[in-house]
Amino acid sequence: RTVKATSGRQIFQPLHTLRNAEKELVPGFHQFEWQPALKNVSTTWDVGIIDGLSGWTASVDDVPADTISRRFRYDVALVSALKDLEEDIMDGLRERGLDDSMCTSGFTVVVKESCDGMGDVSEKHGSGPAVPEKAVRFSFTVMSISIRLEGEDDGITIFQEQKPNSELSCRPLCLMFVDESDHETLTAILGPVVAERKAMMESRLIISVGGLLRSFRFFFRGTGYDEKMVREMEGLEASGSTYICTLCDSTRAEASHNMVLHSITRSHEENLERYEIWRTNPYSESAEELRDRVKGVSAKPFMETQPTLDALHCDIGNATEFYKIFQDEIGEVYLKTNPSREERRRWRSTLDKQLRKKMKLKPVMRMNGNYARRLMTREAVDAVCELVPSEERREALQKLMDLYLQMKPVWRSTCPARDCPDQLCQYSYNSQQFADLLSTMLKYRYDGKITNYLHKTLAHVPEIVERDGSIGAWASEGNESGNKLFRRFRKMNARQSKTFELEDVLKHHWLYTSKYLQ
């Protein structure tokens, strides 16, 4: 009732007046224990919202430390999320014809983690010191729960998140006013989260579900990060680096000549080893040789992420690329040597006018998901082709888009084997055709250079789908939609004071994601 009032008005209750029913839904209500006990994590179970810098002395001089971050303790939040799914777990056991009194151990929970920076979180006119105008949100989604019975090899899935990309299933864990590029502060705040996560991987959780104590193991998959965040967490150079990919060791030049044949080689462990080599330089090499040996790992990997591809940013990255190709084709760049900026600007406004007239697409400053989805359609290409003089270039553009539209469902859909099996089978063939088109017709664009997401789209999609069964389900979209909620709760449902503001937003956001309230 705090989040959606019955009257339709949002009546905001501060934390201490939550009704009892709601207190049950906020982390810190249910008793639990870990076996063995978690390393370096307190055994108390009734902790609610804590200061994100808990355990840090005030070291940040300009921003008073107690206002910039609030979080739940990771294990307490997971318990609350599981208790929230209690009915679903029991239903799942019943549907599978399992006797719930027998199933007390062997549960496995798979958790997707997402973390994303938000620019421009405008300052509220509260009292207190100034905080940076950027925020970072870290959240998790319970993707599936399965149980393995005595003597059986395979697990039986008893709960599967149906909408893994909805903001309703994406639970906030930690909110902070930090710039995502500020590596020090970011890692300082997420440090304890990483430590808790590491401790939980080596232990089992005992909680009562359906009236019996049951034990759960957790697997964490950090897939909801965009490329910038992955590079930051895994110690890689920034995205303009010659080492273009967070999944393989290819350089930009290699990736543009061999567009399709790459396999995933990077991993968190390997990044850690490479960082050690970078740090110690055991072979006394020059900076260049050393960098080539460690393939662009030049900082200490901070948190393990799953080498995957972020479907949302993949769409956006590729749409940006197509937008530029459209511009070049309108200006017939393939005939010219470097055109002036004036000419380019002219083509761009021609393209924008055409898209606005035919597709009702307003020009955007930065490509966003919705624009990308509208731009990557057959209609958009047809509109652009009206401005392209040469017949064969028009055909090539249409062919390019047709191939792209064949490939796209494979990394967008939650379960490609079920939703688009044909496209999945043809993916490698299609991407090969796509690459051939790029390297012949668009030689001028792809000679020795290619964008990061285009490389991943062409080279890595089938392998990831084969490994995880899906790319779309593991994308960061749920967390991105959660950003909207963060802004809304901050505006409407939070006390003005700096000290309580994040607390209120975090609690509201958590209640919003409760299955029980939905």
Side-chain angles (χ1 to χ4, degrees), residues 174-456:
C174 178
L175 305 177
M176 44 202 147
F177 287 123
V178 185
D179 182 350
E180 63 177 321
S181 320
D182 174 1
H183 188 77
E184 285 67 28
T185 316
L186 185 67
T187 49
I189 294 177
L190 287 180
V193 174
V194 174
E196 285 161 23
R197 166 201 208 213
K198 189 165 182 264
M200 289 188 289
M201 287 159 77
E202 293 154 16
S203 182
R204 289 163 188 253
L205 169 72
I206 315 286
I207 48 171
S208 123
V209 174
L212 289 174
L213 289 176
R214 302 173 199 264
S215 87
F216 293 82
R217 296 178 53 195
F218 290 90
F219 286 99
F220 298 97
R221 305 199 52 213
T223 56
Y225 302 93
D226 56 16
E227 172 148 334
K228 183 177 173 191
M229 195 63 98
V230 168
R231 285 175 177 270
E232 197 159 304
M233 297 281 189
E234 289 282 12
L236 302 166
E237 294 168 357
S239 43
S241 159
T242 42
Y243 294 100
I244 171 177
C245 187
T246 51
L247 296 97
C248 70
D249 295 338
S250 169
T251 62
R252 203 171 293 276
E254 285 166 21
S256 74
H257 292 305
N258 161 16
M259 290 188 176
V260 182
L261 301 166
H262 293 275
S263 60
I264 298 175
T265 54
R266 289 189 190 264
S267 69
H268 186 66
E269 283 70 39
E270 187 195 47
N271 288 340
L272 280 165
E273 287 161 22
R274 286 181 167 175
Y275 167 71
E276 275 309 301
I277 292 177
W278 170 261
R279 196 176 63 82
T280 53
N281 192 3
Y283 307 104
S284 317
E285 292 164 304
S286 71
E288 271 312 297
E289 294 169 309
L290 183 59
R291 180 165 171 257
D292 186 52
R293 179 181 292 275
V294 298
K295 305 290 181 212
V297 177
S298 54
K300 183 168 175 147
F302 167 68
M303 179 182 223
E304 180 169 3
T305 62
Q306 271 292 324
T308 178
L309 170 156
D310 179 31
L312 172 71
H313 291 91
C314 184
D315 260 9
I316 291 173
N318 291 336
T320 311
E321 196 50 27
F322 264 80
Y323 183 82
K324 289 181 177 152
I325 291 176
F326 291 160
Q327 256 169 264
D328 288 352
E329 288 302 306
I330 289 174
E332 302 192 277
V333 176
Y334 64 102
L335 302 173
K336 305 182 171 63
T337 48
N338 50 16
S340 68
R341 285 180 64 183
E342 294 310 310
E343 289 183 87
R344 285 188 178 281
R345 216 166 273 150
R346 215 168 41 242
W347 305 331
R348 180 169 180 180
S349 70
T350 314
L351 174 61
D352 281 340
K353 271 191 202 122
Q354 179 76 345
L355 288 173
R356 175 174 262 173
K357 193 172 83 186
K358 298 276 185 220
M359 304 283 302
K360 308 215 179 348
L361 268 178
K362 291 191 187 70
V364 284
M365 279 283 292
R366 270 179 62 202
M367 181 72 66
N368 58 42
N370 291 332
Y371 189 94
R373 279 184 267 278
R374 299 278 314 280
L375 183 70
M376 304 309 275
T377 53
R378 191 61 208 257
E379 297 84 66
V381 173
D382 292 341
V384 172
C385 282
E386 292 176 17
L387 305 170
V388 175
S390 132
E391 174 64 35
E392 66 168 334
R393 307 292 290 181
R394 284 199 294 255
E395 276 173 22
L397 273 181
Q398 284 162 338
K399 176 99 198 294
L400 208 55
M401 184 59 88
D402 286 342
L403 283 169
Y404 185 81
L405 293 176
Q406 282 293 307
M407 289 154 67
K408 182 175 157 175
V410 177
W411 77 79
R412 285 311 280 177
S413 100
T414 307
C415 176
R418 180 193 66 204
D419 302 338
C420 51
D422 303 350
Q423 280 109 322
L424 180 58
C425 292
Q426 290 173 350
Y427 195 93
S428 298
Y429 175 74
N430 285 340
S431 63
Q432 186 64 59
Q433 297 266 285
F434 192 90
D436 292 344
L437 265 176
L438 293 186
S439 47
T440 50
M441 160 189 146
L442 296 166
K443 185 96 182 98
Y444 64 90
R445 265 195 89 79
Y446 296 102
D447 192 21
K449 55 184 199 290
I450 183 171
T451 61
N452 303 11
Y453 276 113
L454 196 50
H455 154 75
K456 289 180 183 173

Side-chain angles (χ1 to χ4, degrees), residues 497-511:
S497 110
K498 283 277 164 49
T499 329
F500 292 121
E501 176 182 31
L502 279 181
E503 206 158 295
D504 292 344
V505 174
L506 183 58
K507 178 209 63 178
H508 261 84
H509 200 145
W510 182 271
L511 286 173

